[in-house]
Amino acid sequence: PSGAIRVSCTRGDGVAVVAVKDSGIGIPAGDLERIFERFYKVDRSRSSQGTGLGLAIARHIVELHGGRIWAESVEGRGATFSFTLPGVELR
């Protein structure tokens, strides 16, 4: 409830880089490589909501546009989800 979300967009080497950073509980390091897999949930006991498809769908959409997507996190300090979109001109 008292958390924060920050969205940013920067330019770099012919791509737009969009980042969404939260101040939540973070993602364990061992799970970071798997969170973009279909039906993968980090902690099934924490939440009964969701199907585990959202990040997999996001990955496919970004990759279809020629970009890449990734996440960085420190457990207990939140997470940052970033993606690139090539050929996007920021003004």
Side-chain angles (χ1 to χ4, degrees):
S2 63
I5 296 173
R6 180 179 176 205
V7 179
S8 64
C9 186
T10 58
R11 193 177 3 191
D13 294 334
V15 299
V17 181
V18 178
V20 180
K21 181 176 185 174
D22 68 41
S23 61
I25 60 174
I27 301 166
D31 290 308
L32 275 174
E33 290 187 24
R34 299 198 60 203
I35 60 172
F36 293 99
E37 294 176 11
R38 280 180 273 168
F39 304 111
Y40 187 77
K41 293 184 179 184
V42 171
D43 184 353
R44 293 182 187 276
S45 65
R46 192 181 322 171
S47 171
S48 62
Q49 297 177 349
T51 61
L53 288 173
L55 289 174
I57 292 169
R59 183 190 73 204
H60 287 291
I61 291 170
V62 168
E63 289 176 353
L64 283 171
H65 285 86
R68 67 182 192 95
I69 189 169
W70 68 96
E72 300 166 310
S73 182
V74 175
E75 202 168 359
R77 293 188 175 177
T80 303
F81 293 85
S82 303
F83 63 93
T84 62
L85 292 174
V88 176
E89 188 173 319
L90 300 176
R91 296 176 187 200

